[in-house]
């Protein structure tokens, strides 16, 4: 989605990059930073944890791939500087995000999808519409559900954030309040990961 916005998406090259970077099963924010670097896209990855937080091992969302992914992800963090992948351990404020968006840039944000809700989508769309009738939908569970969204703008007057949600077949514009966005992006499990992407490479 982001590469298409930047006019750098070639399906064949993209598929090759996914294979080369081993982005086929479990995707972490550091993986997306390496993907941006692969395509020469200027980026800045901000996180609260440089590596894998061992506290996530017993969370249902992480449990399945944790043991196999821990070493791989920690290696990516360790090699980031040498690979020219910009990673910083820092706190990002909503004001920092707004300044970035106001300049026409975008950002990929890890959120808890069980917390995030769109004010523009008709209720009860969210993620439940994808669950077969009678099945428990994860948007109503208290468990953390990591999901990436792409921030595209904000409205200071109304106090809302605009984003695209790749979970939808037609990822049109979604909107949520800043308070809901902040709750979703700072939920335990996200490490407050945000990948700032810049228009100019």
């Amino acid at each position: 989605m982001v590469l298409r916005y930047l006019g750098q998406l070639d399906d064949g090259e993209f598929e090759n990059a996914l294979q080369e970077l081993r982005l086929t099963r479990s995707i972490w924010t550091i993986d997306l930073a390496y993907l941006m670097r692969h395509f020469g896209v200027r980026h800045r990855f901000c996180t609260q944890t440089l590596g894998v937080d061992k506290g996530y091992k017993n969370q249902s969302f992480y449990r399945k791939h944790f043991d196999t992914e821990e070493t791989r992800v920690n290696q990516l963090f360790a090699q980031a500087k040498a690979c020219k992948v910009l990673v910083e351990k820092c706190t990002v404020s909503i004001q920092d995000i707004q300044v970035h968006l106001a300049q026409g840039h975008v950002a990929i944000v890890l959120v808890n999808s069980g917390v995030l809700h769109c004010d523009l989508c008709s209720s009860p769309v969210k993620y439940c519409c994808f669950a077969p009738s009678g099945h428990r939908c994860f948007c109503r569970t208290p468990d953390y559900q990591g999901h990436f969204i792409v921030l595209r703008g904000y409205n200071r007057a109304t106090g809302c954030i605009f984003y695209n949600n790749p979970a939808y077949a037609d990822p049109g514009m979604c909107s949520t309040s800043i308070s809901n966005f902040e709750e979703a992006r700072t939920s335990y499990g996200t490490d407050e990961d945000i990948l700032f992407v810049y228009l100019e490479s």
Side-chain angles (χ1 to χ4, degrees):
M1 185 182 289
V2 169
L3 292 172
R4 185 175 291 119
Y5 173 71
L6 297 174
Q8 298 194 28
L9 185 65
D10 173 272
D11 289 341
E13 189 179 350
F14 183 71
E15 289 300 322
N16 289 338
L18 293 182
Q19 294 302 319
E20 183 181 322
L21 297 172
R22 297 187 292 163
L23 307 184
T24 55
R25 188 172 44 181
S26 177
I27 307 295
W28 295 63
T29 317
I30 188 73
D31 290 315
L32 299 180
Y34 271 81
L35 186 64
M36 292 300 115
R37 175 67 186 101
H38 178 89
F39 283 96
V41 174
R42 188 175 156 223
H43 64 279
R44 179 174 157 237
F45 171 28
C46 298
T47 182
Q48 293 292 307
T49 308
L50 296 175
V52 176
D53 185 334
K54 288 187 176 291
Y56 298 157
K57 184 171 185 172
N58 294 318
Q59 279 204 322
S60 59
F61 180 80
Y62 288 103
R63 191 178 303 131
K64 185 177 180 183
H65 300 294
F66 191 91
D67 290 333
T68 56
E69 289 290 276
E70 183 180 16
T71 301
R72 182 186 75 81
V73 171
N74 283 335
Q75 284 178 343
L76 289 177
F77 274 95
Q79 298 166 359
K81 187 174 182 180
C83 294
K84 298 182 180 177
V85 173
L86 183 56
V87 181
E88 294 178 36
K89 181 178 180 180
C90 60
T91 299
V92 175
S93 70
I94 190 63
Q95 291 78 21
D96 295 331
I97 294 170
Q98 288 172 330
V99 167
H100 180 78
L101 296 174
Q103 295 170 343
H105 306 306
V106 295
I108 301 171
V109 182
L110 180 60
V111 297
N112 181 350
S113 63
V115 172
L116 186 71
H117 64 82
C118 176
D119 296 329
L120 300 179
C121 295
S122 55
S123 186
V125 175
K126 299 180 191 170
Y127 300 84
C128 295
C129 60
F130 299 106
S133 179
H135 285 65
R136 188 177 71 146
C137 57
F138 66 72
C139 70
R140 291 187 186 147
T141 72
D143 296 339
Y144 168 77
Q145 291 293 329
H147 181 63
F148 293 107
I149 60 171
V150 178
L151 298 190
R152 55 186 281 183
Y154 70 97
N155 185 319
R156 193 181 302 275
T158 60
C160 64
I161 291 279
F162 300 115
Y163 63 95
N164 284 76
N165 188 343
Y168 297 127
D170 178 19
M173 186 177 69
C174 284
S175 173
T176 192
S177 66
I178 287 176
S179 60
N180 178 248
F181 169 69
E182 286 291 88
E183 183 184 3
R185 83 172 181 98
T186 60
S187 291
Y188 181 72
T190 67
D191 285 329
E192 298 186 29
D193 283 3
I194 180 165
L195 180 60
F196 289 108
V197 179
Y198 300 85
L199 286 177
E200 70 279 0
S201 297

